């Protein structure tokens, strides 16, 4: 009998997984360009408004640690559909939230449920043969990254012509439709373990100690995503203030600049397949640090800010894909658990970056943000020189 894992997955399935990841991960980022609108609706300050992004990322990190390991224990189609239904409910509450506290709680729920993305990516790795796994995962991750980047554009455009609340209500409808499609179209994937939930969580935490490469790559990516989140959480404040005075439409169009960086994901996967992941990671760290130096001179130049945005997004995407290529080779029988540790750490860094970036902007403006965020990839690069991954 032929092992189906040695056959390349059909193109339509890879596309479906990529689109699903993009639509779902967008839930984490719709609020970023809308922070000025949220401040006006609820009468809160910059640091508090940034807490919406932070709450979503904390929810995501929590879901990574508590929910994603179930991907190794439960049949994936039903688990994915249940999480998407929960995301739908959270988005509805977000869209009608009468107060800021309700908005924060709903954001936590949406973040936690959106970890369905990190069940679909290991799914793609599992159905791909070893020789092209990095390439296939890169294609799926490129869908995720386009979702991250284009979410800001979609949110800004919808908010400009309707209301910020409509953004979340439309996404709720998309999650409901996606839950139905994936429930009936995804191939069945048998659970890899039958251990009880408590043991599953303990085994997940044990991955951190067991695999040094996982620890190192998770911390590298945490630093990179912290820098990424600090930039994109605060850039809306910069663009809506003098000298730019952009509308929501202008902020959304600016976000298109970052989308150009998503093209690197499939290339990063290909280079990783050929053994160039470590050099690519080091180069990405250096590029990210240089981008923040450039962004520091861009307080009065949208062109410099746009170039910096492209470079930052390119660097983060390259390290994400190369990191996943490394960790997916550590324990094929526990890819969901390994991925939960990797991405959980990743989003803790993002949550810290979002909130610290908002506080830095409140205390010292754009200069404080770029100094803080620009130091993070340098820390990652320094740590990388001490390891072999």
């Amino acid at each position: 009998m032929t092992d189906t894992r040695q056959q390349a997955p059909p193109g339509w399935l890879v596309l479906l997984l990529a689109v699903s990841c993009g639509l779902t991960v967008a839930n984490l980022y719709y609020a970023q360009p809308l922070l000025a609108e949220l401040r006006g609706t609820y009468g809160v300050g910059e640091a508090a408004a940034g807490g919406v992004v932070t709450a979503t990322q904390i929810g995501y990190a929590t879901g990574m640690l508590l929910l994603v390991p179930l991907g190794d224990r439960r049949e994936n189609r039903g688990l994915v559909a249940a999480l998407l239904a929960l995301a739908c409910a959270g988005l509805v509450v977000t869209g009608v939230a009468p107060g800021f506290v309700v908005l924060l709680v709903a954001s936590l729920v949406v973040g936690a449920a959106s970890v369905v993305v990190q069940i679909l990516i290991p799914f793609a790795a599992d159905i791909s043969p070893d020789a092209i796994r990095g390439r296939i995962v890169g294609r799926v991750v490129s869908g995720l990254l386009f979702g991250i980047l284009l979410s800001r554009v979609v949110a800004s455009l919808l908010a400009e012509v309707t209301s910020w609340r409509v953004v979340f209500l439309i996404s709720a409808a998309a999650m409901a439709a996606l839950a139905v499609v994936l429930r009936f179209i995804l191939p069945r994937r048998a659970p890899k373990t039958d251990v009880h939930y408590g043991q599953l969580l303990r085994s997940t935490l044990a991955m951190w100690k067991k695999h040094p490469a996982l620890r190192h790559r998770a911390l590298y990516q945490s630093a990179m995503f912290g820098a990424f989140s600090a930039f994109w959480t605060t850039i809306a404040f910069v663009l809506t203030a003098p000298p730019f005075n952009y509308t929501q439409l202008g902020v959304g169009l600016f976000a298109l600049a970052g989308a150009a960086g998503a093209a690197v994901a499939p290339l990063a996967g290909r280079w990783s397949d050929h053994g160039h992941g470590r050099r690519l990671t080091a180069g990405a760290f250096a590029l990210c640090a240089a981008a923040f130096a450039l962004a520091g001179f861009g307080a009065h130049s949208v062109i410099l800010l746009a170039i910096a945005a492209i470079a930052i997004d390119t660097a983060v995407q390259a390290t994400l894909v190369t990191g996943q290529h490394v960790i997916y080779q550590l324990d094929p029988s526990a890819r969901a658990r390994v991925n939960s540790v990797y991405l959980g750490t990743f989003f803790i860094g993002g949550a810290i970056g979002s909130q610290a970036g908002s506080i830095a902007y409140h205390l010292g403006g754009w200069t404080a943000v770029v100094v803080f965020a620009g130091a993070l990839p340098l820390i990652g690069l320094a740590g990388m020189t001490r390891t072999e991954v």
Side-chain angles (χ1 to χ4, degrees):
M1 182 178 292
T2 301
D3 185 354
T4 57
R5 290 194 180 202
Q6 298 306 310
Q7 300 173 0
W12 67 265
L13 180 57
V14 176
L15 178 61
L16 174 62
L17 292 171
V19 171
S20 300
C21 286
L23 288 174
T24 305
V25 81
N27 296 329
L28 307 179
Y29 300 95
Y30 286 133
Q32 282 185 341
L34 305 178
L35 294 182
E37 296 284 329
L38 296 176
R39 287 176 59 196
T41 299
Y42 295 106
V44 297
E46 293 159 347
V52 175
V53 178
T54 302
T56 308
Q57 292 177 339
I58 289 174
Y60 197 82
T62 302
M64 286 298 308
L65 297 175
L66 299 181
L67 298 176
V68 169
L70 290 171
D72 287 334
R73 187 178 186 273
R74 299 285 299 275
E75 201 284 313
N76 282 190
R77 295 183 303 175
L79 179 60
V80 164
L83 289 174
L84 287 171
L86 180 61
C88 174
L91 287 162
V92 170
V93 175
T94 301
V96 300
F100 191 68
V101 174
V102 175
L103 180 67
L104 288 177
V105 173
S107 297
L108 279 168
V109 172
V110 171
S114 294
V115 296
V116 67
V117 170
Q118 302 308 331
I119 295 172
L120 295 177
I121 293 176
F123 183 98
D126 276 351
I127 63 175
S128 303
D130 292 342
I132 61 169
R133 180 170 292 118
R135 195 179 316 167
I136 297 299
V137 170
R139 290 173 183 169
V140 175
V141 170
S142 68
L144 177 150
L145 296 169
F146 271 114
I148 292 174
L149 300 171
L150 297 180
S151 62
R152 305 184 189 101
V153 182
V154 170
S156 295
L157 292 176
L158 286 176
E160 180 77 12
V161 299
T162 56
S163 162
W164 67 264
R165 296 182 184 275
V166 173
V167 175
F168 297 100
L169 295 176
I170 289 178
S171 184
M175 293 303 99
L178 199 57
V180 175
V181 170
L182 294 181
R183 177 63 182 83
F184 291 102
I185 291 183
L186 277 185
R188 180 177 292 277
R189 177 171 173 261
K192 295 181 176 181
T193 181
D194 58 358
V195 300
H196 62 75
Y197 182 65
Q199 186 177 348
L200 189 70
L201 292 184
R202 287 193 295 272
S203 69
T204 299
L205 296 176
M207 297 292 171
W208 180 269
K209 183 178 181 180
K210 181 179 179 182
H211 299 296
L214 174 59
R215 292 198 302 273
H216 297 150
R217 281 289 173 173
L219 291 172
Y220 299 161
Q221 199 59 31
S222 179
M224 287 292 275
F225 198 56
F228 174 95
S229 297
F231 180 90
W232 285 106
T233 299
T234 56
I235 194 66
F237 297 142
V238 176
L239 296 176
T240 55
F244 302 112
N245 296 311
Y246 280 14
T247 64
Q248 283 298 140
L249 177 60
V251 174
L253 292 176
F254 176 86
L256 283 173
V264 78
L267 295 177
R270 188 182 297 272
W271 292 331
S272 295
D273 285 335
H274 288 87
H276 304 307
R278 180 173 170 80
R279 281 181 288 179
L280 181 59
T281 302
F285 278 136
L287 175 62
C288 188
F292 276 103
L294 181 64
F297 295 101
H300 300 281
S301 171
V302 72
I303 294 176
L304 292 182
L305 289 176
I307 294 172
I310 294 171
I312 291 167
D313 289 358
T314 297
V316 172
Q317 292 161 25
T319 56
L320 174 62
V321 174
T322 55
Q324 287 183 308
H325 184 270
V326 170
I327 67 167
Y328 286 158
Q329 298 181 65
L330 298 176
D331 191 342
S333 67
R335 284 199 174 109
R337 282 167 282 172
V338 167
N339 199 50
S340 73
V341 174
Y342 179 65
L343 272 298
T345 308
F346 173 111
F347 273 90
I348 289 172
I352 293 171
S354 292
Q355 196 60 43
S358 298
I359 294 171
Y361 185 82
H362 177 72
L363 295 177
W366 184 238
T367 300
V369 173
V370 298
V371 170
F372 160 71
L376 295 178
L378 294 177
I379 293 171
L381 182 59
M384 186 178 179
T385 61
R386 299 173 179 271
T387 70
E388 296 180 357
V389 295

